[in-house]
Amino acid sequence: MKNRDLLSAPVTVNWSLSYRCNFACSHCYSRKLETALLPLSEIRSVVDLLADKGVVFINFGGGEPLLLENLYDITAYAVSRGLKVTMNTNGWLLDPDAAVRIAAAGFHSVGVSIDSPDPKAHDLFRNRPGSFARALNSLDHLRQADVQSTVSCVINRMNLDNWTGMVDICRDHGARTLYLHNYKCTGMGQVNMGHLDLTPSQWGDFYGEALTVRDSLSDLVISFDDPIMAAIPGYKADGAVKGSTCGKLSLHIEPDGGISPCGFIPVTIGNILEDDFDRVWFDSPVLEKMRSKTPTGKCSGCDSYEDCLGGCSARAFAMTGSFDSPDPHCWVPDDPEECSA
């Protein structure tokens, strides 16, 4: 991808205001990360810069955003600058009062993490007894406050056989979209991937099933974030770019203002308050490597490569240290002659 093909700025900035969290999830990328936090005045300066650059969405993650008392002030300010603000939460702190404050601050939508229709499995994955019930309650509180909600579900071995039960959970609690997230191999996700991550063939079977379920629904949107799906015969992606969106449509901001391509790629490429944003966006050598990947290994000569571009850059980098390596989740045979799109 050449500079002339790039947008003038990312569409979405995923912003970890803090890495503090009240959970210890089995797959967490940031549990062991510690960094200084920006003061409110500098956070507002970052908001101003993003608004001036034409960023559309800010998504707060991290850490647990609701641990930050100034979250509502930050959100209200970002909304006043024309930005659409979303966040991802584990739901533990999202009581009726928080839902009212979320609505008043102007959140565009709120995503709640629920990883299984089985309460015990969810609580075990999140390492917090009672978290399933609190997450369901948070969806109800958001609906009562007239705030749009979504559900995020990380696919893993603990929910592979019953993930379809998430459809009814969304229906029963007012969530409009079910995001089925691929398992990332960063942080605790890498530590625990041996017993939580699926095999490549399981990923292929899962996506085949998930697409069938998605196409059968008319009242709920099922959304994916995995470029490796381009390896499914007949699959047509409708995204704005091919391959990973990180560094093309999105960037990540760390709590101290550091910029990284993605929260799952622990490589700092600049600082939002210290470096020229355009220079980072257009000229970062790291981003250029991600945007102009070279097929290696079984990707070379594979018919799917033009669409998947090697799959998830974060997974490839986590496992090999190279963005060019094939996605370790890829189920396509190693023999290029057997590849088909």
Side-chain angles (χ1 to χ4, degrees):
M1 176 177 284
K2 304 299 183 181
N3 284 355
R4 64 178 179 273
D5 299 323
L6 284 173
L7 298 174
S8 60
V11 175
T12 300
V13 167
N14 296 298
W15 192 348
S16 298
L17 292 170
S18 167
Y19 288 135
R20 289 176 54 215
C21 193
N22 53 345
F23 278 27
C25 300
S26 301
H27 66 305
C28 181
Y29 78 94
S30 63
R31 188 191 309 173
K32 296 185 178 181
L33 300 178
E34 295 183 7
T35 185
L37 307 185
L38 296 177
L40 183 58
S41 60
E42 293 187 356
I43 289 175
R44 286 177 173 164
S45 295
V46 174
V47 170
D48 288 336
L49 186 151
L50 298 180
D52 291 343
K53 291 297 179 181
V55 171
V56 179
F57 290 95
I58 291 177
N59 180 67
F60 293 131
E64 170 53 48
L66 288 173
L67 286 171
L68 300 173
E69 180 60 31
N70 61 9
L71 174 69
Y72 305 107
D73 293 334
I74 296 168
T75 299
Y77 184 71
V79 171
S80 75
R81 288 301 320 268
L83 290 154
K84 295 181 180 180
V85 182
T86 62
M87 74 168 163
N88 295 108
T89 175
N90 56 44
W92 189 269
L93 299 173
L94 210 166
D95 58 16
D97 178 66
V100 170
R101 298 183 72 182
I102 286 169
F107 272 92
H108 181 72
S109 68
V110 173
V112 178
S113 294
I114 304 177
D115 297 295
S116 174
D118 177 3
K120 291 182 180 179
H122 171 88
D123 289 1
L124 180 61
F125 188 67
R126 294 282 164 176
N127 288 308
R128 191 68 186 263
S131 59
F132 179 83
R134 296 278 282 256
L136 292 188
N137 288 339
S138 71
L139 290 173
D140 294 337
H141 300 325
L142 290 169
R143 178 164 55 179
Q144 186 64 33
D146 199 25
V147 177
Q148 179 176 324
S149 67
T150 64
V151 168
S152 293
C153 178
V154 177
I155 298 300
N156 64 92
R157 292 189 190 180
M158 296 173 66
N159 62 18
L160 181 61
D161 294 332
N162 65 356
W163 70 267
T164 56
M166 298 301 303
V167 172
D168 285 336
I169 284 179
C170 291
R171 286 172 173 160
D172 293 344
H173 297 275
R176 300 182 182 181
T177 301
L178 172 61
Y179 287 98
L180 299 177
H181 294 287
N182 58 76
Y183 188 91
K184 298 296 196 301
C185 310
T186 306
M188 297 306 298
Q190 188 173 75
V191 172
N192 293 317
M193 64 181 294
H195 67 275
L196 288 176
D197 198 5
L198 310 187
T199 65
S201 62
Q202 286 177 317
W203 280 112
D205 292 342
F206 160 72
Y207 280 125
E209 177 188 23
L211 287 172
T212 298
V213 174
R214 182 199 66 175
D215 294 343
S216 72
L217 301 176
S218 59
D219 61 335
L220 179 70
V221 175
I222 292 185
S223 182
F224 309 95
D225 63 349
D226 199 342
I228 201 66
M229 293 178 67
I232 297 174
Y235 177 75
K236 298 297 182 183
D238 56 2
V241 297
K242 295 182 178 181
S244 292
T245 60
C246 301
K248 303 172 188 175
L249 299 179
S250 63
L251 282 180
H252 175 249
I253 299 179
E254 300 159 10
D256 63 354
I259 304 172
S260 59
C262 164
F264 298 103
I265 299 177
V267 177
T268 302
I269 59 175
N271 187 285
I272 192 72
L273 292 172
E274 299 173 3
D275 297 303
D276 181 83
F277 184 83
D278 289 344
R279 184 170 298 175
V280 172
W281 177 244
F282 288 109
D283 300 328
S284 164
V286 173
L287 295 184
E288 177 58 27
K289 288 182 180 179
M290 294 178 64
R291 295 162 178 164
S292 303
K293 295 165 68 173
T294 300
T296 63
K298 67 178 181 179
C299 289
S300 301
C302 179
D303 291 342
S304 301
Y305 186 81
E306 182 179 347
D307 292 313
C308 82
L309 298 182
C312 175
S313 297
R315 281 197 299 264
F317 185 80
M319 299 308 297
T320 69
S322 171
F323 297 120
D324 292 335
S325 296
D327 187 331
H329 282 180
C330 179
W331 55 87
V332 174
D334 288 343
D335 185 352
E337 294 183 1
E338 298 181 49
C339 296
S340 62

